[in-house]
Amino acid sequence: MDERFILVGARTPLPPPPPEKKWYAGKPVFSMVVLAVIISGCLGCELFIPKDPVYMDLFHAVESPGREFWFGTDTMGRDIFSMIWFGGRVSLAIGFLSTAISTFLAILFGAASGLAPRWLDELLMRLTEIFLSIPSLLLIILLQAILGKAGVLSISLVIGVTGWTSMAKVVRSEVRRLRNSEYVLASRCMGAGFFHVLLRHLAPNFFSSIMFMVVMNVRSAIAAESTLSFIGLGLPLEIISWGSMLSLSEKALLSEAWWIILIPGAFLVATMLCVTSIGNWLRGESGQKSGNL
């Protein structure tokens, strides 16, 4: 027998390869599609809305949904179908603009606290906890009262300034974890400034950890604008948004016009549910990446 060949037994069959994972597996595809349809419809509403959303047709006030007015009219005779798509742009603009402001403040404040000496870090965190202990709605109402008449920019600024604290604490924790990395220390030894280290080395590594908070801030901002309008401190009636449409709910209840409340509320709730679903998925994705690291 040839010594170069040794019989060692039957070879065990290799296990079958795992089934290929579909690209949509585990992703909130339905929420993404619905949110994309709502955003696209709001941005391109001039192409398909049948009526002028700001025109007050008093002869058709509080008219139920029908062939001419698909979603009915409000107490001033405005077409609700056109108002929903036209006003959605204002609500979404407030959501994204206020989120951009709060994200900027959270990254700046959290990174400064994470890179600061211990005594300054503790001082900044105590200041953050003071802000967290105050209900955000009270702060929003106080700041809006100081600024005066509400507008898209003023409401976005107020909501953004009051919504950065929770995200800042997460940024601070991530920066303290990353600040002793070799590439960060090398960059600082070569004379790199705070903003260079933050933008080139820190932010790309912790932004995935706060992405779900950024998405959830959009939902919170839209809800805050709707709450302010509902209690009479939000946008005036001439500026159409989902919140200003819901501010007519008292008159709608007195006139039993359910469509004035139900239809705008359904669009608002659907948008917030889709954003929540996407935010939860992003949180799970960031948790898996952290676990792999």
Side-chain angles (χ1 to χ4, degrees):
M1 183 177 178
D2 195 344
E3 296 179 354
R4 293 176 298 174
F5 300 96
I6 301 175
L7 184 63
V8 295
R11 177 180 297 177
T12 57
L14 296 176
E20 185 178 356
K21 190 176 181 181
K22 302 295 184 180
W23 64 269
Y24 54 82
K27 297 180 180 178
V29 179
F30 180 76
S31 299
M32 292 179 178
V33 172
V34 173
L35 187 61
V37 170
I38 292 175
I39 294 176
S40 301
C42 292
L43 294 178
C45 63
E46 288 91 349
L47 301 176
F48 63 88
I49 54 176
K51 304 284 185 179
D52 185 357
V54 299
Y55 177 68
M56 299 181 185
D57 187 0
L58 298 180
F59 289 103
H60 295 91
V62 197
E63 188 165 324
S64 60
R67 180 175 298 179
E68 183 179 0
F69 302 99
W70 297 345
F71 288 171
T73 61
D74 64 357
T75 55
M76 292 178 284
R78 298 178 296 183
D79 181 41
I80 293 180
F81 179 81
S82 302
M83 291 174 65
I84 282 176
W85 297 107
F86 188 81
R89 294 190 297 185
V90 176
S91 296
L92 292 173
I94 291 175
F96 286 111
L97 182 57
S98 60
T99 300
I101 295 173
S102 62
T103 302
F104 172 77
L105 293 176
I107 292 177
L108 190 64
F109 194 91
S113 179
L115 294 175
R118 185 177 182 84
W119 66 270
L120 183 56
D121 175 38
E122 293 181 355
L123 178 62
L124 295 176
M125 283 299 100
R126 297 297 83 76
L127 180 62
T128 305
E129 291 172 359
I130 292 174
F131 274 100
L132 279 173
S133 64
I134 304 174
S136 59
L137 184 59
L138 293 180
L139 280 177
I140 292 173
I141 294 175
L142 175 62
L143 293 177
Q144 186 58 56
I146 294 174
L147 292 178
K149 185 178 180 180
V152 175
L153 293 179
S154 64
I155 288 183
S156 301
L157 179 62
V158 168
I159 297 175
V161 167
T162 57
W164 56 271
T165 49
S166 298
M167 193 186 305
K169 292 179 72 69
V170 177
V171 171
R172 177 253 183 189
S173 300
E174 292 294 320
V175 169
R176 290 188 66 84
R177 181 178 62 85
L178 295 169
R179 68 178 185 176
N180 291 326
S181 302
E182 294 180 357
Y183 53 89
V184 176
L185 294 176
S187 180
R188 298 180 70 178
C189 289
M190 288 188 293
F194 170 77
F195 288 101
H196 177 85
V197 174
L198 174 61
L199 296 176
R200 296 294 299 273
H201 303 293
L202 295 176
N205 288 284
F206 69 68
F207 197 76
S208 60
S209 300
I210 64 171
M211 179 58 70
F212 78 95
M213 301 186 73
V214 173
V215 174
M216 298 298 278
N217 271 15
V218 176
R219 183 204 65 173
S220 301
I222 295 175
E225 183 271 327
S226 301
T227 303
L228 287 177
S229 297
F230 183 78
I231 62 179
L233 297 176
L235 296 172
L237 291 178
E238 59 268 18
I239 302 178
I240 301 175
S241 70
W242 289 339
S244 64
M245 293 175 69
L246 291 175
S247 65
L248 300 173
S249 58
E250 181 181 355
K251 297 179 181 178
L253 290 174
L254 294 176
S255 60
E256 298 183 357
W258 55 267
W259 56 89
I260 299 179
I261 307 172
L262 183 61
I263 297 178
F267 271 80
L268 179 63
V269 170
T271 302
M272 290 194 294
L273 287 177
C274 291
V275 173
T276 302
S277 178
I278 295 172
N280 290 333
W281 171 70
L282 289 173
R283 178 168 53 185
E285 290 291 313
S286 63
Q288 290 181 1
K289 291 181 180 179
S290 301
N292 295 333
L293 292 177

